[in-house]
Amino acid sequence: MNPSSLLSLDDALHKLLLCAKPLNRVSNVSTFKADGCVLAQDLVSAIQVPSFDNSAMDGYALRLADLSLNDGVLKLGQRILAGHAASTLNKGEAARIFTGAPVPLGADAVVMQEDVETLDAEQVRVSVVPPAGQWIRRRGEDVASGTVVLARGERLGSAALGLAASIGFDHLQVSRSVRVALFSTGDELVMPGTVAPADMPPGAIYNSNRFCLRSLLKRLGCDVTDLGIVP
């Protein structure tokens, strides 16, 4: 055979892929169980992520204009935990705030707790002047409403599943798995465990390809039916 008449690997793959067609079969699966599946829909966010301005640090929310007053001493006006509402921050006040908690209206920066001195139960002194917006995660900073966050055809991994959950999807439309029948051919094939190495007949080999190919197919998300060895 003339080697020049043979297809290159790239050409052979190209010809094979031209023959491949989408199955157009869709399943609705729990986001918990969708790892490794292929999305059959664009995921569009109906919300902003984050949905509100929140603190990226344990510390104190404050108004920058107040730091030039009274040598950086501010009155403690409120304590804001994650999952709880905040009141408007008044002039001359700081709010004790924790990571993920909503930033109160009127605050324009958060100072981490290590840079704040507690004077008593009602007052703190801020030892640094932060830049505007420091440690504030803005509404919609990660995902804007109406944005396609995951595109149809994407294989879902752990990060993608977390992203889908973050915009409220508890179920996902995914493509049905490709079904593959796998069999091996050859009288020389012996399954590991059926014959000890010392007892292998002349010309026999262990069927290693069966294990390798099944693993590769499973990693591609295929539903594999093993048909064993054909003589």
Side-chain angles (χ1 to χ4, degrees):
M1 180 180 292
N2 183 358
S4 63
S5 65
L6 298 177
L7 286 176
S8 69
L9 175 60
D10 287 342
D11 287 341
L13 287 174
H14 178 68
K15 286 181 176 291
L16 285 170
L17 290 173
L18 287 177
C19 297
K21 301 191 185 311
L23 293 176
N24 294 322
R25 294 181 300 172
V26 175
S27 297
N28 186 42
V29 301
S30 164
T31 304
F32 266 123
K33 298 179 179 179
D35 187 34
C37 295
V38 175
L39 263 182
Q41 63 178 133
D42 288 340
L43 288 195
V44 180
S45 178
I47 62 171
Q48 306 271 56
V49 180
S51 57
F52 53 89
D53 291 355
N54 68 89
S55 178
M57 190 69 63
D58 289 352
Y60 294 82
L62 48 79
R63 293 154 41 106
L64 290 173
D66 292 338
L67 291 180
S68 60
L69 308 173
N70 200 25
D71 194 27
V73 175
L74 301 172
K75 178 182 177 182
L76 278 177
Q78 58 183 307
R79 188 170 185 266
I80 313 168
L81 300 171
H84 293 258
S87 302
T88 299
L89 191 67
N90 297 319
K91 182 178 180 180
E93 286 185 349
R96 182 71 167 107
I97 195 167
F98 295 89
T99 304
V103 174
L105 189 66
D108 50 14
V110 171
V111 177
M112 68 173 64
Q113 58 192 17
E114 291 82 357
D115 293 327
V116 177
E117 177 188 0
T118 301
L119 300 180
D120 53 42
E122 296 183 353
Q123 294 185 105
V124 294
R125 175 181 284 114
V126 180
S127 58
V128 299
V129 178
Q134 177 176 271
W135 303 125
I136 295 177
R137 293 185 290 219
R138 296 296 183 187
R139 180 174 184 265
E141 183 176 296
D142 294 334
V143 177
S145 178
T147 301
V148 175
V149 297
L150 292 169
R152 180 177 181 270
E154 181 164 347
R155 187 176 296 279
L156 296 166
S158 53
L161 293 175
L163 183 54
S166 76
I167 58 173
F169 282 85
D170 67 329
H171 280 74
L172 299 169
Q173 296 291 318
V174 300
S175 298
R176 292 280 296 274
S177 297
V178 175
R179 291 180 295 177
V180 180
L182 173 64
F183 60 89
S184 307
T185 62
D187 293 342
E188 76 279 13
L189 298 177
V190 174
M191 285 299 295
T194 59
V195 179
D199 299 327
M200 288 282 280
I205 60 172
Y206 286 121
N207 187 6
S208 58
N209 281 349
R210 185 176 181 184
F211 294 85
C212 179
L213 292 174
R214 184 178 184 278
S215 174
L216 289 171
L217 289 166
K218 294 291 285 185
R219 291 187 180 208
L220 287 172
C222 298
D223 181 8
V224 180
T225 300
D226 193 322
L227 300 179
I229 298 173
V230 177

